[in-house]
Amino acid sequence: MRTKPARAVNLLALLVLFTAGTGVVAGCDSDKDREARARQVADAWDGSRAAEVWGQGYYPTGDAVQLPENAFRSDADKRAYTTQNFVLRGELPATPRKDGQVKWESGGSLALPLMGAEKAYESVARGGNDGPHLTVTGAKLGEMTVATSRGPATVPAWLFTLDGYDTPLKRVALSPSTAPKSPVKPAGKLPTDELAPLGGLVEVAGDGRSVTVVATHGSCDDGPAVDVLETGGSVVLSASVVGTKDGPCTSDMRAEEVTVKLDRPVGDRVLLDAFTGRPVPYEERKGSAG
């Protein structure tokens, strides 16, 4: 299955009509090579030790930050958050224990090192300009629910009290597990119209039947496309660029979100990038106000 942004559909349709009339089949070899690479990645991962390690780890597929209820009360506060401009008034508490527990709704738990309040604060407060700011007046250790590769989980979180808000800003107090070493090497240097690396995972739909990823392209093409190969143990995504053109082009790289529909929910299958041969990393949207 190939998914691409809507704006590229008509252009691709015209290309198909043109090639049909001329007897030329465009991109046939690239399609076969891309499918062969996806199959190679799936075969390497399915039933592997790496897949076993992945299935036992904590890998978030949702943001590590949850906003206060009814955020934000003003455009200035929203701007402060998106620019990560915070001010700390007072002291942050010490970490009460060494480890924290990840508890999955489906069962099972995992102990991981607990992140200190100061490190958690610094992960959201990276601003430092003279514009609007949010004031943190205190923090305490609590919990929050986050989406993971193994389904929803309850995890420790630092609850930061914000001046002017009745509920806290929550930040997960754990770092993801270390990813296992991939059983297959990266694809190597290939033309982007054949295969390209993904920028990251944006989200998995609530029903698990689609995933949104970041794919990149340049200034002389019709945009990115993403193919999918589903197996019992993995979902392999193959990104490429369609409609490449000759001529002078700028060197800028453009990122675009692409939603890929699946035949069945992702479930506990590993979401893989065909180019890198590794799990697609979650791309947390820094400073996103939702």
Side-chain angles (χ1 to χ4, degrees):
M1 180 188 297
R2 159 153 287 202
T3 303
K4 52 194 169 295
R7 66 180 181 79
V9 173
N10 291 337
L11 290 171
L12 189 61
L14 289 173
L15 178 61
V16 170
L17 290 173
F18 173 77
T19 55
T22 58
V24 177
V25 180
C28 184
D29 290 341
S30 293
D31 290 345
K32 289 181 179 179
D33 291 343
R34 193 161 42 246
E35 183 178 352
R37 169 60 182 177
R39 177 59 63 183
Q40 178 190 30
V41 172
D43 289 346
W45 271 89
D46 288 1
S48 68
R49 173 58 181 164
E52 182 182 352
V53 171
W54 180 266
Q56 296 172 350
Y58 164 64
Y59 302 102
T61 58
D63 286 347
V65 176
Q66 290 181 1
L67 300 178
E69 294 177 9
N70 302 317
F72 288 97
R73 61 180 182 178
S74 67
D75 288 340
D77 281 3
K78 183 175 181 179
R79 181 182 171 193
Y81 179 73
T82 55
T83 58
Q84 298 184 300
N85 210 29
F86 287 73
V87 170
L88 176 61
R89 190 170 69 205
E91 296 184 359
L92 296 174
T95 307
R97 56 184 184 274
K98 182 180 178 181
D99 292 332
Q101 288 280 330
V102 182
K103 299 177 183 178
W104 279 275
E105 285 186 7
S106 59
S109 63
L110 180 66
L112 290 172
L114 198 61
M115 181 186 297
E118 184 175 350
K119 183 177 180 180
Y121 172 76
E122 290 174 352
S123 72
V124 297
R126 294 175 177 169
N129 57 63
D130 295 329
H133 64 265
L134 291 166
T135 301
V136 172
T137 58
K140 65 179 181 179
L141 192 63
E143 292 181 333
M144 64 183 275
T145 300
V146 64
T148 80
S149 60
R150 295 168 59 181
T154 300
V155 299
W158 285 105
L159 280 49
F160 294 102
T161 304
L162 296 182
D163 187 26
Y165 290 86
D166 296 329
T167 57
L169 179 146
K170 301 178 181 180
R171 203 294 181 189
V172 173
L174 302 171
S175 295
S177 300
T178 301
K181 182 179 179 180
S182 175
V184 61
K185 293 182 179 180
K189 196 170 184 179
L190 294 170
T192 56
D193 59 353
E194 183 172 324
L195 191 64
L198 288 165
L201 173 66
V202 177
E203 71 174 351
V204 177
D207 62 3
R209 289 187 173 275
S210 68
V211 296
T212 300
V213 293
V214 174
T216 57
H217 66 104
S219 60
C220 282
D221 55 60
D222 294 333
V226 180
D227 293 335
V228 59
L229 172 67
E230 297 187 56
T231 71
S234 61
V235 176
V236 185
L237 301 177
S238 305
S240 60
V241 173
V242 296
T244 55
K245 306 177 183 68
D246 294 329
C249 300
T250 59
S251 60
D252 61 313
M253 186 64 70
R254 304 174 184 183
E256 198 163 322
E257 293 187 0
V258 180
T259 297
V260 182
K261 295 186 182 299
L262 306 177
D263 291 334
R264 59 190 179 89
V266 177
D268 57 3
R269 293 182 293 171
V270 188
L271 193 63
L272 299 166
D273 181 346
F275 185 94
T276 64
R278 298 193 295 266
V280 182
Y282 178 66
E283 185 75 8
E284 189 157 335
R285 290 164 282 187
K286 303 296 183 184
S288 173

